[in-house]
Amino acid sequence: MLEPNIKEVAGRVRMLREDLGLTMQEMADATGRSVAEYAAQESGEEDLSFTFLYKCAEKFGVDVIEILTGEAPRLTGYSLVREGEGLSVKRRAGFEYLHKAPFFKNKVCEPFVVTTPYVPEEQDKPIHLSYHKGQELDFIISGKMRFAYEDHIEDLGPGDLVLYDSGRGHGMIAIGGEPCKFIAIVMRPREGSII
């Protein structure tokens, strides 16, 4: 299992921004953050969410895997990643993303196995919402999830699947006293689509 170093990933974001002649303000706008929030993430001081990295990759015109590993995807035809293998993206917030096809070239989706920790303090708070262009499909493998979509709340369990426009506010937490494990497939918008 590959596990990228957060400081190295943040350094690649900074180098790509500088190489492309983009300002911190331009990147803050592209990632939906203030300049101070963007600067904290680019320096590696704050959590690098997948949404943040995905938006950076989109602005830079590179595959998100290049930011995570420093390598361009190179496989064509098919990619096989065995159980427990993949590119691990652990976040300080406790979420773990295991990218299941990191080196497949010209992907139209990003497939992950995600583990969301159960955090008692989150149970009675509003769920943090993320936004990224495209669509996302989440299929629950184990545990239970509370899924928020704008002002809608749904509780999901094993075998449940939700497909949604990820350009609108969405978020999730584990409920029921245990972590929730699910497959997340993040799909890019099609050329010429309105999403």
Side-chain angles (χ1 to χ4, degrees), residues 32 35 45-46 50 60 84 88 98 100 109 114 121 124 171 179 187:
V35 172
E45 293 169 23
E46 282 192 13
F50 176 73
F60 298 149
S88 177
L98 187 61
K100 296 302 284 186
C109 70
V114 182
E121 306 83 66
D124 297 317
M187 296 163 276

Side-chain angles (χ1 to χ4, degrees), residues 68-103:
L68 288 168
T69 67
E71 296 179 43
R74 57 195 175 280
L75 298 176
T76 59
Y78 77 96
S79 171
L80 173 64
V81 178
R82 300 284 185 187
E83 169 66 29
E85 294 179 355
L87 177 65
S88 177
V89 183
K90 289 185 180 172
R91 295 180 48 202
R92 291 178 209 147
F95 277 65
E96 181 177 334
Y97 291 80
L98 187 61
H99 198 300
K100 296 302 284 186
F103 296 109

Side-chain angles (χ1 to χ4, degrees), residues 101-167:
F103 296 109
F104 191 76
K105 191 175 182 177
N106 300 321
K107 291 181 288 295
V108 295
C109 70
E110 303 290 341
F112 295 93
V113 172
V114 182
T115 304
T116 305
Y118 175 78
V119 180
E121 306 83 66
E122 291 179 340
Q123 301 306 302
D124 297 317
K125 292 182 179 176
I127 296 173
H128 171 76
L129 301 180
S130 296
Y131 305 79
H132 51 88
K133 290 180 186 173
Q135 296 178 345
E136 185 168 333
L137 178 147
D138 297 335
F139 178 81
I140 311 303
I141 299 169
S142 64
K144 293 183 179 176
M145 170 196 290
R146 179 154 297 138
F147 171 73
Y149 188 79
E150 295 181 330
D151 59 352
H152 301 276
I153 302 290
E154 301 285 348
D155 288 351
L156 309 173
D160 290 346
L161 180 146
V162 62
L163 173 66
Y164 51 94
D165 174 353
S166 55

